[in-house]
Amino acid sequence: MRPTAKFSISFGLVTIPVAAYSATDTTASVSFVRIHTADGGRVRNQPVCSLEGVEVTEDEIGRGYKADDDTLVPLTDEDLAALPLPTAKTLTILAFVDGGDIDPLQMGKGYYLSADGSAAAKPYVLLREAMERHQRVGLGKVALHGRETLAMIRPVEDTLVMQVLLWPDQIRPMEGVLPEGGVDLGAQEVEAAESLMDSYRELSEGDVHDHYREALEEMVAAKLAHREPDFEAPQAEPAAQVMDLMAALQDSVRAAQQSRGEGGDTEGATVTSLTGHPSQQSAAKKSTTRKSATEKASAKKSTGGTAKKTAARTAKAGGAGKSAGSAKKSAAAKATAAKKTAGKPRRRAG
């Protein structure tokens, strides 16, 4: 790799000459060219002078600054080099902060920094080791490609990495983005969302692979070979969004567990969709309700019948008790009468 810039890092009274290498490669991304749809001819962006109306070459193109009155002021490389800008050749570290304090919205292009020369090796390693042990990143300013920018320096393994940062006033406000009226969340919904987050697996190589680019290259190859592209059948997408947020979270957790082979009951897992058709979950719920009502009615009927039978047995037993009591009283009365009769003197005949 060739360095895109060379400058020095100013760390107090320590100066570290470094070379910056682009840490990202955008050539691997998908890019298109403009064509004329009628005949497939390439449509180019040709540099044309607005005054003469003629095409100009690259060596005839320079820089200009547009003033407030739309006047274009030419600026040469010598003019830019003469600017009293201390950051033109030096990245001065202004502060060391916690990396979490940097807004990710500010982060831009990244560069690998290498020690430029043997004399810079020791202070380079010293700065990297100090930031690694102190768990801090350095913030400073540097001029790159004709403009001054904020920059963050952080240790990554054995290397220092510089991340270009946007100025705070380049971050747009969030007005008009947040939901209107506010949203009330229940504790169970938040816990369900956290459970869903915990159910996610780690990233695999396939997750961080550009499948779109491969599919596009297959499409181009198929067109050149006058054949149909060889694509895998796409997975079916859900027909509509769900209305029951809690049920959707629970279903997602079960689906994630099932995909990992952990099992889990997924029967009746679908929820009511925006189309208004009842789902399996609703049908199951109604069926369960009807079943419960039937069981309750049967139980009530059974209980009533049992009570009636018990009452009948009680009444019968009571009647039998009364009959036995009456018979006992009658027997006693007869015995008393017989005793009295036996005690009287008998009259002799004649």
Side-chain angles (χ1 to χ4, degrees):
M1 290 191 298
R2 296 181 57 185
T4 60
K6 289 188 176 185
F7 51 88
S8 297
I9 298 176
S10 177
F11 175 39
L13 299 178
V14 178
T15 300
I16 311 170
V18 295
Y21 299 85
S22 179
T24 56
D25 181 13
T26 58
T27 59
S29 60
V30 174
S31 61
F32 300 96
V33 296
R34 299 191 301 170
I35 63 171
H36 187 198
T37 56
D39 55 14
R42 178 95 177 257
V43 177
R44 301 179 181 274
N45 294 326
Q46 297 176 332
V48 177
C49 178
S50 61
L51 298 178
E52 299 178 350
V54 297
E55 185 178 352
V56 296
T57 60
E58 288 293 331
D59 57 357
E60 295 179 296
I61 299 176
R63 297 186 183 92
Y65 186 84
K66 187 177 181 179
D68 294 337
D69 57 355
D70 293 337
T71 301
L72 295 177
V73 181
L75 294 172
T76 64
D77 293 339
E78 290 76 14
D79 295 332
L80 297 177
L83 291 175
L85 195 63
T87 58
K89 297 294 182 181
T90 304
L91 190 156
T92 303
I93 297 179
L94 304 175
F96 289 95
V97 300
D98 190 335
D101 295 338
I102 307 298
D103 188 349
L105 288 174
Q106 290 184 256
M107 295 186 181
K109 188 175 176 60
Y111 295 88
Y112 295 132
L113 301 181
S114 69
D116 190 15
S118 57
K122 186 172 183 177
Y124 177 93
V125 174
L126 173 63
L127 177 60
R128 186 201 59 77
E129 183 68 18
M131 284 195 293
E132 179 72 29
R133 294 181 60 179
H134 207 53
Q135 296 295 305
R136 291 290 186 271
V137 299
L139 290 182
K141 294 191 297 183
V142 65
L144 288 176
H145 311 300
R147 65 185 64 184
E148 187 178 52
T149 180
L150 282 173
M152 174 183 68
I153 298 178
R154 58 190 178 96
V156 177
E157 296 181 359
D158 295 333
T159 309
L160 286 177
V161 173
M162 181 180 71
Q163 205 90 29
V164 173
L165 302 178
L166 297 176
W167 297 101
D169 58 2
Q170 291 179 293
I171 305 299
R172 293 177 177 177
M174 299 182 184
E175 297 176 0
V177 179
L178 299 177
E180 297 181 359
V183 177
D184 295 329
L185 293 177
Q188 292 183 346
E189 293 174 329
V190 177
E191 292 176 358
E194 292 175 347
S195 298
L196 178 57
M197 293 171 63
D198 293 336
S199 69
Y200 273 63
R201 57 178 175 80
E202 295 182 357
L203 287 175
S204 64
E205 293 184 1
D207 294 329
V208 293
H209 188 72
D210 190 355
H211 296 283
Y212 180 80
R213 180 188 178 189
E214 286 187 350
L216 181 63
E217 291 174 348
E218 169 61 20
M219 174 68 74
V220 172
K223 285 184 175 292
L224 292 175
H226 303 286
R227 61 174 175 82
E228 291 295 324
D230 184 15
F231 292 150
E232 295 182 359
Q235 296 181 354
E237 296 292 335
Q241 295 179 345
V242 294
M243 297 178 63
D244 192 338
L245 178 59
M246 189 65 185
L249 292 171
Q250 294 172 346
D251 295 343
S252 300
V253 173
R254 287 194 291 267
Q257 292 174 345
Q258 188 177 21
S259 66
R260 295 197 303 267
E262 297 180 5
D265 183 15
T266 58
E267 185 178 356
T270 57
V271 296
T272 304
S273 66
L274 295 178
T275 57
H277 298 295
S279 64
Q280 295 178 9
Q281 186 182 36
S282 299
K285 186 176 181 180
K286 292 180 180 179
S287 176
T288 303
T289 303
R290 289 197 296 268
K291 184 177 180 182
S292 300
T294 304
E295 291 177 350
K296 288 181 179 179
S298 300
K300 184 176 181 181
K301 184 177 180 180
S302 176
T303 303
T306 303
K308 289 181 180 179
K309 292 179 179 178
T310 303
R313 286 197 298 268
T314 303
K316 187 175 181 180
K322 289 181 179 180
S323 299
S326 299
K328 187 175 182 181
K329 289 181 179 180
S330 178
K334 289 182 179 180
T336 303
K339 187 176 181 181
K340 289 181 179 181
T341 302
K344 290 181 179 181
R346 293 184 179 180
R347 293 173 67 182
R348 296 182 177 178

